[in-house]
């Protein structure tokens, strides 16, 4: 399974290094076989060698250039980064990234062979409008994306559940994951208020290939417990 932590705008470089070191220690001591990904804040990136795969939360579709506030391939190369998170709901809904921008970014990093964790999900009003409208909304987020890309991981994150403490029922999660599996055979993660108290049940569902964890991953011990849940299930 794939157990991923999106650290968002948290942890300094020193704190991030300590966090990743704690994960590495746990993985080593417990002979963990799960794929563990960590996405630190941009300013907290560091070169890293180990079992933990370190990725970027965001980067512009460029090597370098006049793009104030962004980083490009040159910066990722400096830290040996070959994994990137694209399409997270906060990039879409808070920062206004369009599907066209995301497709450009996706294609740029796909051509470079990056492992891409691509996020899809719906806001509450789309869910409440019924399954048909909800699935149409999510399907639009697949437009222009190569769903057969060999290094693709898809993360389903209901927007209304992120950071709210609310989650769909286990039945709802399994149903939508089953539907989304018809769109791509890529590993499919669930994200959206995943925490140590519900991760085991989510990971046990059919067609759930792992989890993408936000604020609950900031507690390294809790995140290690989630890694262990996946290990026990497999």
């Amino acid at each position: 399974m794939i157990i991923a932590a999106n650290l968002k705008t948290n942890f300094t470089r020193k704190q991030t290094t300590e966090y990743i070191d704690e994960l590495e220690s746990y993985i080593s001591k417990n002979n963990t076989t799960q794929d563990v990904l960590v996405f630190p804040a941009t300013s907290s990136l560091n070169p890293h060698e180990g079992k933990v795969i370190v990725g970027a939360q965001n980067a512009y579709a460029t090597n370098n250039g006049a793009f104030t506030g962004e980083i490009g391939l040159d910066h990722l190369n400096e830290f040996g980064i070959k994994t990137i998170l694209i399409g997270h709901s906060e990039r879409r809904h808070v920062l206004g990234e369009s599907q066209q921008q995301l497709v450009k970014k996706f294609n740029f990093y796909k051509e470079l062979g990056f492992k891409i964790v691509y996020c899809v999900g719906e806001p509450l009003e789309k869910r409440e409008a019924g399954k048909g409208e909800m699935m149409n909304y999510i399907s639009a987020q697949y437009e222009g994306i190569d769903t057969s890309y060999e290094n693709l991981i898809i993360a389903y994150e209901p927007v209304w559940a992120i950071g709210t403490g609310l989650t769909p029922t286990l039945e709802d999660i399994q149903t939508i994951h089953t539907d989304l599996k018809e769109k791509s055979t890529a590993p499919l993660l669930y994200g959206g208020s995943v925490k140590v108290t519900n991760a085991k049940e989510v990971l046990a569902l059919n067609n759930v290939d792992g989890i993408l964890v936000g604020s609950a991953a900031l507690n390294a011990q809790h995140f290690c417990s989630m890694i262990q849940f996946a290990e026990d299930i497999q």
Side-chain angles (χ1 to χ4, degrees):
M1 289 187 175
I2 300 166
I3 311 300
N6 177 13
L7 302 183
K8 305 189 180 185
T9 312
N10 296 291
F11 289 171
T12 62
R13 179 172 291 159
K14 179 176 182 292
Q15 290 171 322
T16 300
T17 299
E18 292 170 348
Y19 176 87
I20 293 175
D21 286 347
E22 186 170 348
L23 299 188
E24 289 285 5
S25 176
Y26 181 87
I27 291 168
S28 177
K29 288 178 182 177
N30 293 277
N31 296 314
T32 301
T33 60
Q34 309 308 303
D35 293 332
V36 179
L37 282 61
V38 175
F39 295 90
T42 299
S43 64
S44 297
L45 293 175
N46 251 336
H48 176 75
E49 294 184 5
K51 296 289 188 180
V52 174
I53 299 171
V54 177
Q57 293 179 18
N58 178 57
Y60 204 72
T62 187
N63 292 332
N64 51 58
F67 306 102
T68 301
E70 296 283 350
I71 61 170
L73 180 63
D74 287 354
H75 306 90
L76 299 184
N77 285 342
E78 180 181 13
F79 297 113
I81 302 295
K82 291 289 291 181
T83 301
I84 188 168
L85 190 66
I86 294 177
H88 190 278
S89 67
E90 290 159 8
R91 300 292 311 177
R92 294 178 187 270
H93 296 284
V94 178
L95 299 171
E97 285 191 343
S98 67
Q99 185 66 15
Q100 183 180 14
Q101 290 172 310
L102 294 173
V103 168
K104 180 180 179 181
K105 189 179 297 185
F106 182 96
N107 288 335
F108 182 85
Y109 287 100
K110 171 196 162 186
E111 290 302 314
L112 295 165
F114 270 57
K115 184 189 299 291
I116 297 174
V117 178
Y118 181 73
C119 301
V120 299
E122 83 286 353
L124 185 59
E125 62 268 21
K126 295 298 180 180
R127 172 171 283 261
E128 292 179 339
K131 184 176 179 180
E133 186 164 340
M134 180 184 76
M135 292 307 297
N136 287 340
Y137 183 89
I138 295 173
S139 294
Q141 296 174 339
Y142 281 78
E143 292 178 3
I145 300 299
D146 180 2
T147 57
S148 63
Y149 176 48
E150 61 183 2
N151 285 326
L152 172 63
I153 299 167
I154 296 173
Y156 166 66
E157 296 189 305
V159 178
W160 52 273
I162 297 173
T164 64
L166 302 173
T167 56
T169 66
L170 295 176
E171 182 180 0
D172 284 342
I173 294 171
Q174 183 164 289
T175 297
I176 194 164
H177 271 243
T178 300
D179 291 341
L180 293 180
K181 275 291 189 177
E182 296 179 2
K183 296 181 176 295
S184 174
T185 58
L188 181 59
L189 314 184
Y190 173 75
S193 290
V194 178
K195 42 191 178 290
V196 71
T197 54
N198 64 12
K200 188 172 185 178
E201 290 76 14
V202 171
L203 287 166
L205 296 172
N206 292 333
N207 293 318
V208 173
D209 302 311
I211 48 178
L212 176 58
V213 189
S215 59
L218 297 178
N219 184 314
Q221 291 182 348
H222 285 184
F223 190 63
C224 287
S225 293
M226 297 183 210
I227 296 170
Q228 189 60 49
F229 293 154
E231 192 76 15
D232 293 343
I233 290 169
Q234 274 203 338

